[in-house]
Every structure is written in structure tokens, then in C-alpha cells.
Amino acid sequence: MTKKYQEVPSNFSSFESYLIYKKEDVVDAYTKAHQYFFYDTCSILHHSNSANRQSIINYLKSKADIIIVTRTVLMELTANSFELHPDQIQYFNELYNSGSKIILFDEELIYDCLKEALNISTEEANKLLGYAIKEVSKSKTKISEIIENMDKATSSKLKGTNTGNRELFSTFFQHARALKSEGDSIAEELILICIIVLTRIPTGRYFLISDDMRIRSQVISVNEYILKHHRRKEPYQLTTTSLVYKMYKDSALTNRDDMIEIMKTAFTGNVNAFFVGEYDIEQRYESYKCEDLIDRLLNEKDFKIMY
């Protein structure tokens, strides 16, 4: 059966107190932060089911000023039932109780964040959105389909340079969410568009916690685009594999069994890892048994997991 989606879960009242979601509060929290962690659907599902999720929660609390769950990610988490599962409600509760700030982020609010942080006209903001859309859609992604499906006048503005002085963010993002379909990468693609636009603001670090390796090439391309146009290399993609590596290097996770358990929440079989070994000149890719990968990490001083 094809999955169905809606923007507001029917049980939203049972977890809304754990989230910052009102527009003015979201913009205020964003402008006060410097470390932004966008949390993707698959990683939330994996981490919320870990027996060692408290270690993940403590680590995120130490690193993230705000944790961002986009509206589209919430739609994916509540597909078909239109309710957030108790496991994810409990995870959000535990994040909240740790002191983490979790933002439910309607993607169109990047416009308000831009306007709050910069002296920028609506026309210039629209151009930034158009540039971001063109970058993410250049490899014939779901965004390509969405932009072609829009009304011709709006599509032409976003693809051209004469964007007009009426903000196009609400129209684009709401239309994109309405076209969400099963198996696409629209949540991740919209996150990348948000990050491209937001890095026009010359402060802050951006992280994408995502186990979706289908978007790796897009993340690398976006890194290059942002470096060229905004003179920064953002975002850094944190898979569960690289998260375990970072936690180990920061002494936040040192027990072998705990490391294996967390990594296995994201992998039912072998772990596909991008890494640099002690004697490697460049990044390599191999498939490992989870236990073998953790043993390399524990036993090789200069072993570094990239993804």
C-alpha cells in the first residue's frame, strides 16, 4: 500500500511540549544558536530504538545548540498512521529532559531566519532560494520533478533571475511537501536547500545526521557549492557509523559492546563504511562485520571513519 502523509500528526498534543514550533520562537532559537544539527528520519528511527540512546542524547546535548526536525521529516515519521510512534515520543522526551532544544522547523522559515539575521531584500532572498533549488535539482532529483510541477509563473521565477518581491519560500516548500511520496529523498533534499540558503548567514556550523547514503553525492556537491559561493564547507554528514567514531574519539562512548549495539541499530547486516586507515593515502570504502569495524577503530590509533 502506498504511504500517505499529513503535516500535523493527530497526536501532536502528546509531544508538542518537547518541541519549539511557534514561528517567533523558532526564529529566536535559530538566531541565538551556532551549532545546527538537522536530524533525518532514518537516524531518528535508528537512535530512538537503541538501548544506549542515552549516550547519543548526552553527546548531542554537548555538541548541538539546537536539534532541527523539519516538517517533512515529521511527515515521514508519522506516515500512514498520522501519529508519532511511542518510541519516538519517548526519544524526544528524553532529548528534551536532557536540556536539548528541539525545533520543529517548517522549511519556509529559512526566509524569516534570513530576514532576522541579514539586511536582505525579498528579491535577493528569493534568488538565494532559486540558486539552492537549481543546485540540488541539477542531478534530476525529486526537486526537479517538483519545480517542473509548479505553476509556470512561479517555476520561471525560481529558475530565472527575475524573482520578484513577493516571497516564494512558502509557495515552494508547501508545494514540495504536498508532493511527498514513498521512497523519495525529499526530506533530505529540502534540508540541503535550507542549508544552502542559511549558510548565506556568515556564522554557524551545520550538521546533517542521516544514515541515507543515497544522498552522499548530493551532500558532497552541496559542500562544494557552499565553499565556492559562501566560503564555507557545510554541512558535515553524520551517519550512525561516523557518530560512533566521533563519540569514541571524544571519550563519550568507550565500551565495545555499546558501540556495536548503537551501530547495529542502523545496519541489519554488514556495515558499509568510508574510512581512512593508518597507512591509507586516500579515503577507502569497504563492507565490514560490525564487530570487525569496531575492533579496527579500537585497535588502530589513526583509523578514521568518514561515513
Side-chain angles (χ1 to χ4, degrees), residues 34 53 61 68 93 173 194 235:
H34 297 282
R53 62 182 179 273
K61 174 63 175 67
I68 301 173
N93 179 32
F173 285 112
C194 287

Side-chain angles (χ1 to χ4, degrees), residues 7-9 11-23 25-26 29 39 44 66-71 73-74 77-78 84 88-97 100-106:
E7 291 203 356
V8 181
N11 65 340
F12 184 63
S13 62
S14 63
F15 62 92
E16 65 177 309
S17 61
Y18 310 143
L19 309 176
I20 298 169
Y21 63 91
K22 293 180 180 177
K23 177 179 173 178
D25 296 333
V26 168
Y39 219 152
I44 293 173
I66 54 174
I67 295 169
I68 301 173
V69 178
T70 64
R71 179 66 65 179
V73 164
L74 185 60
L77 288 170
T78 59
L84 189 63
Q88 283 76 64
I89 292 177
Q90 180 63 24
Y91 187 55
F92 286 165
N93 179 32
E94 291 170 359
L95 281 165
Y96 172 80
N97 286 334
S100 291
K101 293 182 178 179
I102 314 167
I103 287 181
L104 175 57
F105 197 77
D106 292 305

Side-chain angles (χ1 to χ4, degrees), residues 154-220:
T154 304
S155 177
S156 297
K157 286 179 179 179
L158 288 169
K159 290 190 291 185
T161 56
N162 184 18
T163 57
N165 58 11
R166 181 179 65 85
E167 69 93 357
L168 302 176
F169 291 75
S170 300
T171 301
F172 170 73
F173 285 112
Q174 290 169 17
H175 181 73
R177 291 196 295 266
L179 292 183
K180 164 72 191 157
S181 59
E182 184 176 359
D184 64 25
S185 294
I186 188 65
E188 297 89 348
E189 290 173 26
L190 293 182
I191 288 172
L192 291 176
I193 288 173
C194 287
I195 292 173
I196 291 173
V197 173
L198 290 171
T199 51
R200 173 64 177 78
I201 302 168
T203 57
R205 290 297 321 277
Y206 292 84
F207 299 84
L208 171 56
I209 309 174
S210 177
D211 288 316
D212 190 347
M213 293 305 291
R214 295 175 301 171
I215 65 164
R216 179 175 172 270
S217 61
Q218 282 183 277
V219 172
I220 292 171

